[in-house]
Amino acid sequence: MSTIASSTPAKRRGLLSIGRRGAARLVAWACDPQLSVLLVLGFTIAHVVLWTAILTQVKAAQDIHFDVSEGYAWGQKFLMGYGKHPPLSGWISGVWFKFFPPVDWATYLLAMVTVGIGMVLCWVIALRVVDRRRAFFVLLMVAIYPIFNFKGFKYNPDLLQLVTLPLVVLAYLHAFEKRSIRSGFLLGLAAALALMTKYWVVTMIGAIGLAALIHPQRMLFLRSPAPWIAIATMAAAMIPHFDWVRQVEYAPFRYAGDTYKISSRWESLQLAWGYVGHNIALLLLPLGLAAAVLAWGPRWWASLARDSGAFVKRPWSLTTNPGVRKDRALNIWLIQAIVAVGPPIGALLFDIYIKTDWGISLFFLVPLAVIAIPSLKVPRVALVRLAAIWLVLSLVTLAAAPQIAIASLPRDANGNFAHISYSQLARELTEVWHKRFHTRWSNVVGFVDVAEQMTFYSPDHPLPLTPYEPWPSGVTSMEEAKRNGFIGICLVGDWKFERCEAWMKDNLPNAERIVMSTRRFFKGNVGTTTRWNVYVVAPVAMK
């Protein structure tokens, strides 16, 4: 008994010693000019791998989001635009799936690589404003921010802005400091790249412009060639895309105007309030955990008993902090403040539809804006604590992922889960086509949430065409679909079902009509039966 008792404390001391050495090494690497780069890259890769595994398991009971399959469909052809949006997200998706198979895990890996690049860019931005210790703390906060993990599960133009907008901010900080022709050129290219992602980025570009006008050093910047070279470079780089916009009769703007109509001022108020509340709620996790580790101290409960405000007072100092560059921090504070309040206020004033997801790309500077407060102390031990929290949260979520997948299943009144099996339908329709025509299935007609899923899941990857769409993606046309033959699909019971059926009857009076059903099964759980009306149109050569 004595041998066991004496060995247990020794093992505990050994583990504590290993933990202390690891913590010391983490802090040392985070503050080292050379090793910090390796630490950040290694940490980001670990984040990407862990959360790809988590999302793949959590989402295993369902097919990918149609935003992702839409991007995959766009990437089948490299165009200057895709009806609703500029082309960059489609281009990246097209390149990605030349190297990776069109399977679910590859889409989650794409999403996590996107946010991983954004995380590294946030760290690089932080290095221009604060010291390396604070910059790594910012990276840890960003990794815990749900936008960069759970919420970032679907790759689309909103998520891609987590790369392009940090690039714009980084280029602006560089141009504001250097004020050279080269820095202005880089800023213009970054802004053009962001605009090629989604036009919503004008909110960030506008915030940067206002910040430059408000900053006390504005005249040094405005008298330099940098801002004017940036504007000229951005305009020149966008000429090919603007020419496409003109050719398609301003389809992206017509899409925005038709899709995001406001019926009343009350609806505008509800949307703006939901946008604000949603994005504040997402920020509470990283801000709350950061506040906890910064305020944490030895025997904190004793000091709290003596002074109820001790927990709040502990992280603050009245001394000047050399780890913060105030002039650069001011730019961050201005940009984040403007981009935080501008969109909801603008939505209210001009009755603009504002979605909660549009805030995905606009709050990545919040962790840096907080940590750049000069009077806020960031002790070395805080890095270790927050890194440990990130690791524990990630590993616990990974372990619980299979149970989360089951617990989060949406169910109908009969207890069956309600995820639709688009992948099953795509496989069955591919077989139907091959048996009838012995050729590749080239085209599919259906609304976006159905047709693009067929493009992704069918081994033939048919190009999608959407009925009634005044802003077609351009990857195919009705003439091409009729020439090659196609399958039209209507989801029975969908709110667009009657419109879909009307289009099929008006345009395909002689098509072969098939009624099909699909049902999803997942770990003993039975899905609802989904019915489809399918219209098969033979290729012209076989009629």
Side-chain angles (χ1 to χ4, degrees):
M1 291 293 292
S2 60
T3 303
I4 296 174
S6 61
S7 64
T8 302
K11 290 180 180 178
R12 188 180 296 118
R13 286 195 300 270
L15 291 174
L16 288 174
S17 178
I18 294 172
R20 291 192 185 99
R21 288 198 300 270
R25 188 173 289 113
L26 174 71
V27 173
W29 281 42
C31 299
D32 185 272
Q34 282 78 41
L35 296 177
S36 60
V37 177
L38 295 176
L39 176 64
V40 166
L41 291 178
F43 173 80
T44 304
I45 291 171
H47 181 87
V48 168
V49 171
L50 270 172
W51 279 94
T52 299
I54 290 168
L55 292 172
T56 301
Q57 293 187 65
V58 168
K59 302 293 183 179
Q62 62 193 89
D63 291 325
I64 61 172
H65 193 278
F66 70 84
D67 274 6
V68 184
S69 58
E70 182 177 54
Y72 176 84
W74 292 347
Q76 301 303 295
K77 291 185 178 180
F78 290 82
L79 307 176
M80 287 308 301
Y82 296 103
K84 298 189 294 186
H85 292 302
L88 187 61
S89 63
W91 291 352
I92 291 174
S93 182
V95 171
W96 179 266
F97 286 106
K98 288 187 181 299
F99 297 93
F100 292 91
V103 292
D104 292 15
W105 66 261
T107 70
Y108 300 126
L109 179 60
L110 173 58
M112 287 298 102
V113 168
T114 300
V115 301
I117 295 171
M119 287 167 57
V120 174
L121 289 172
C122 287
W123 176 75
V124 176
I125 292 170
L127 284 180
R128 303 191 70 91
V129 180
V130 296
D131 59 27
R132 290 183 182 274
R133 184 199 311 175
R134 288 174 179 254
F136 189 70
F137 193 84
V138 168
L139 178 67
L140 292 170
M141 290 180 66
V142 168
I144 294 172
Y145 184 22
I147 294 298
F148 288 82
N149 44 73
F150 246 127
K151 185 72 173 174
F153 75 94
K154 58 180 178 179
Y155 171 80
N156 62 11
D158 291 322
L159 196 72
L160 186 57
Q161 290 174 77
L162 291 177
V163 173
T164 54
L165 290 187
L167 275 175
V168 174
V169 173
L170 183 61
Y172 165 70
L173 294 176
H174 179 70
F176 197 86
E177 180 184 356
K178 299 298 183 181
R179 301 187 291 276
S180 63
I181 293 176
R182 180 176 179 274
S183 66
F185 176 73
L186 292 175
L187 175 57
L189 285 182
L193 196 68
L195 280 171
M196 291 288 276
T197 306
K198 192 173 183 178
Y199 302 135
W200 175 248
V201 303
V202 297
T203 53
M204 181 64 78
I205 294 174
I208 288 172
L210 286 174
L213 294 174
I214 297 170
H215 199 282
Q217 298 176 11
R218 57 186 173 273
M219 294 313 299
L220 291 174
F221 182 60
L222 295 175
R223 286 171 180 166
S224 76
W228 317 112
I229 292 294
I231 293 171
T233 301
M234 180 181 70
M238 292 299 295
I239 287 175
H241 176 67
F242 287 151
D243 184 57
W244 171 85
V245 171
R246 181 186 57 79
Q247 291 177 25
V248 297
E249 299 177 343
Y250 307 95
F253 301 101
R254 288 188 286 111
Y255 160 75
D258 293 346
T259 305
Y260 300 113
K261 292 179 180 178
I262 291 291
S263 60
S264 66
R265 177 58 61 91
W266 174 244
E267 183 186 9
S268 178
L269 179 62
Q270 286 181 307
L271 289 168
W273 180 252
Y275 171 89
V276 171
H278 179 79
N279 287 290
I280 288 176
L282 290 173
L283 286 166
L284 287 178
L285 182 63
L287 293 178
L289 291 175
V293 300
L294 291 175
W296 200 276
R299 298 184 61 82
W300 59 269
W301 57 89
S303 59
L304 191 62
R306 292 192 301 270
D307 181 3
S308 59
F311 205 68
V312 176
K313 297 174 184 176
R314 180 179 173 80
W316 302 99
S317 172
L318 297 178
T319 59
T320 302
N321 193 313
V324 177
R325 302 171 182 88
K326 292 183 182 179
D327 57 331
R328 299 179 185 179
L330 180 58
N331 260 320
I332 298 299
W333 295 329
L334 288 171
I335 293 170
Q336 187 58 81
I338 294 168
V339 86
V341 303
I345 290 176
L348 286 174
L349 291 178
F350 301 104
D351 288 338
I352 298 172
Y353 191 107
I354 185 168
K355 291 176 64 176
T356 55
D357 276 1
W358 291 353
I360 282 176
S361 60
L362 298 186
F363 296 93
F364 63 89
L365 289 175
V366 169
L368 176 57
V370 172
I371 299 305
I373 298 173
S375 56
L376 183 65
K377 295 185 294 184
V378 182
R380 292 171 180 264
V381 70
L383 273 65
V384 179
R385 289 170 179 160
L386 198 58
I389 289 173
W390 166 84
L391 182 60
V392 170
L393 287 177
S394 298
L395 292 178
V396 168
T397 308
L398 178 62
Q403 288 70 42
I404 295 173
I406 295 173
S408 60
L409 291 175
R411 297 185 181 274
D412 63 11
N414 298 320
N416 297 321
F417 75 92
H419 286 311
I420 297 172
S421 185
Y422 298 101
S423 53
Q424 179 189 348
L425 179 66
R427 291 190 298 269
E428 292 182 2
L429 288 179
T430 304
E431 291 180 8
V432 167
W433 186 268
H434 287 178
K435 287 179 180 178
R436 278 166 172 73
F437 308 114
H438 306 288
T439 62
R440 174 179 172 268
W441 178 20
S442 300
N443 296 94
V444 58
V445 176
F447 286 104
V448 171
D449 52 343
V450 175
E452 268 80 358
Q453 297 285 53
M454 300 301 106
T455 304
F456 184 85
Y457 283 110
S458 168
D460 289 345
H461 310 299
L463 297 178
L465 187 69
T466 304
Y468 301 116
E469 190 166 47
W471 43 83
S473 66
V475 296
T476 190
S477 64
M478 192 62 194
E479 292 74 20
E480 183 180 347
K482 287 182 177 179
R483 183 172 60 253
N484 297 327
F486 62 91
I487 295 178
I489 307 169
C490 295
L491 172 57
V492 178
D494 183 56
W495 67 275
K496 303 181 293 294
F497 174 69
E498 292 184 1
R499 292 186 69 218
C500 184
E501 284 283 285
W503 190 93
M504 298 295 175
K505 291 175 181 177
D506 291 343
N507 291 273
L508 316 173
N510 300 318
E512 177 188 0
R513 183 173 179 271
I514 306 172
V515 177
M516 300 181 68
S517 64
T518 58
R519 197 171 195 181
R520 197 176 187 96
F521 298 87
F522 179 73
K523 294 186 177 180
N525 292 273
V526 181
T528 56
T529 299
T530 306
R531 292 179 58 242
W532 310 87
N533 284 357
V534 175
Y535 296 82
V536 180
V537 178
V540 170
M542 297 185 181
K543 290 182 180 179

